[in-house]
Structure formats: structure tokens, C-alpha cells
Amino acid sequence: MALDTQSIYVTALQNTHAVEMQALQIMERQVERLQHYPEMEAALRRHITETHGQRDRLEAALSSLSALPSTLKEGFFGFVGNMMALGHTPAQDEILKNTYANHAFENFEIAAYTSLLVIAEAAGQSAHLSGFQQSLREEQAMAEKVAALIRTTTLRYLELSISGQKADR
Ligand SMILES: [Fe+2]
């Protein structure tokens, strides 16, 4: 059975929307728990605000096609879920695992938006392209921020741990 580009586009919108809803859950949970890593906390807070806008753009595109956000697709989230579960287990090095997971997740989102943009163009859906390009730039900026924080976060983790202070989150 052949699929038309329009239905492929709707599915891509739904998948990307599900990714953003997952992103919000992950970041909100981390932000609540973070105590000793203010730079990571600030980056997450800023990106939570951006992610609300990204979610709204996807919902606007879906409703312009009279389509609804889908319920979570389990298979699709198997990979992401496993990756994020790393950070969900309370551990002495929770902050490090969350940092790795955040880095992976932002790059996952970059791939999702890069693909969505190709599909949107193929489907002749130009109305929301510039919005999704903005979302992609925000994901790229956050990915760079998290990448830059790997070193400083690890150094702070080492410093707190070695001096006997609370370092986990
Ligand atoms: Fe993101």
C-alpha cells in the first residue's frame, strides 16, 4: 500500500510532537531535582520555555490539517525511554548520566526536525517551515550548550565529590 506525502507528514508531525512532550517531562523532572548545577538548571529552564513554543508550532500544524497529536507510540520511545532511564535512577552520579542523556536527546530532536523539514517540503507544506527551522535552530543551540556543559559539569561533580559534598544532582 502506497502512502501519500500528506499522511507521511502528519505522522512526522505526530512523532515530533510526542518527542517534545517527552522532552518536557524529562526536563521538568530534572529541573525539580537539580540543586548543585545552576548552569545546567538555567539551560534546562530556558529550553523548557522554548519547548513550549516548539510544541505549540507542531500543534498548530496538526490542527491546520485537522489532525490530532497521537498517543505515545511505544516502539518509537523504546530507545529514548531506555536512554532516559539512565538518569531516572537515583545514583551518586545522577548528574553525569542526565548530562549524557540530555546530549543524546537534543541530538535525537535535531534528527527529528531535520527529517520533518524534508517531509514538509516533499508534502508541499510550506506554511510551517520557518517555524520548524526555528525549532531546529533551538535544538542545535541546546545541543551545543549541553555539549559545552559536559566538561564543566564533570569538573564540578569531581570537585564536590572529592571534597565530600553532595554531588549527585
Ligand atoms: Fe530540545
Side-chain angles (χ1 to χ4, degrees):
M1 187 186 73
L3 292 174
D4 59 281
T5 50
Q6 174 90 355
S7 70
I8 293 170
Y9 178 55
V10 169
T11 300
L13 288 171
Q14 290 170 329
N15 285 341
T16 312
H17 183 267
V19 169
E20 294 299 5
M21 298 308 284
Q22 181 98 343
L24 281 173
Q25 270 185 30
I26 290 162
M27 291 189 292
E28 279 163 0
R29 179 172 182 148
Q30 279 185 45
V31 154
E32 279 169 24
R33 290 174 61 78
L34 276 174
Q35 294 172 341
H36 303 288
Y37 298 87
E39 275 190 273
M40 184 67 83
E41 188 181 336
L44 287 168
R45 284 195 192 285
R46 199 181 50 241
H47 198 52
I48 285 170
T49 305
E50 287 174 341
T51 303
H52 287 143
Q54 297 169 352
R55 176 202 56 199
D56 293 349
R57 282 175 208 131
L58 291 160
E59 288 179 0
L62 281 163
S63 78
S64 77
L65 299 169
S66 305
L68 294 169
S70 70
T71 50
L72 292 185
K73 293 188 171 76
E74 248 181 63
F76 184 55
F77 282 104
F79 162 71
V80 181
N82 286 340
M83 185 172 80
M84 303 319 295
L86 270 179
H88 288 170
T89 325
Q92 158 63 22
D93 58 355
E94 176 179 333
I95 183 65
L96 297 185
K97 288 168 177 158
N98 276 332
T99 302
Y100 310 158
N102 291 343
H103 185 265
F105 199 81
E106 293 308 324
N107 282 282
F108 187 94
E109 292 186 289
I110 288 170
Y113 276 107
T114 302
S115 178
L116 176 64
L117 283 163
V118 173
I119 294 168
E121 279 195 66
Q125 295 285 339
S126 55
H128 298 275
L129 278 180
S130 68
F132 297 146
Q133 280 156 353
Q134 186 185 332
S135 297
L136 176 58
R137 284 192 298 272
E138 290 166 357
E139 303 301 10
Q140 287 165 334
M142 182 59 173
E144 279 172 29
K145 181 71 190 170
V146 174
L149 282 174
I150 295 171
R151 181 178 167 78
T152 51
T153 300
T154 304
L155 286 170
R156 181 158 173 78
Y157 171 78
L158 283 167
E159 182 192 317
L160 291 171
S161 296
I162 290 165
S163 63
Q165 298 176 71
K166 203 166 152 43
D168 57 344
R169 53 195 164 95

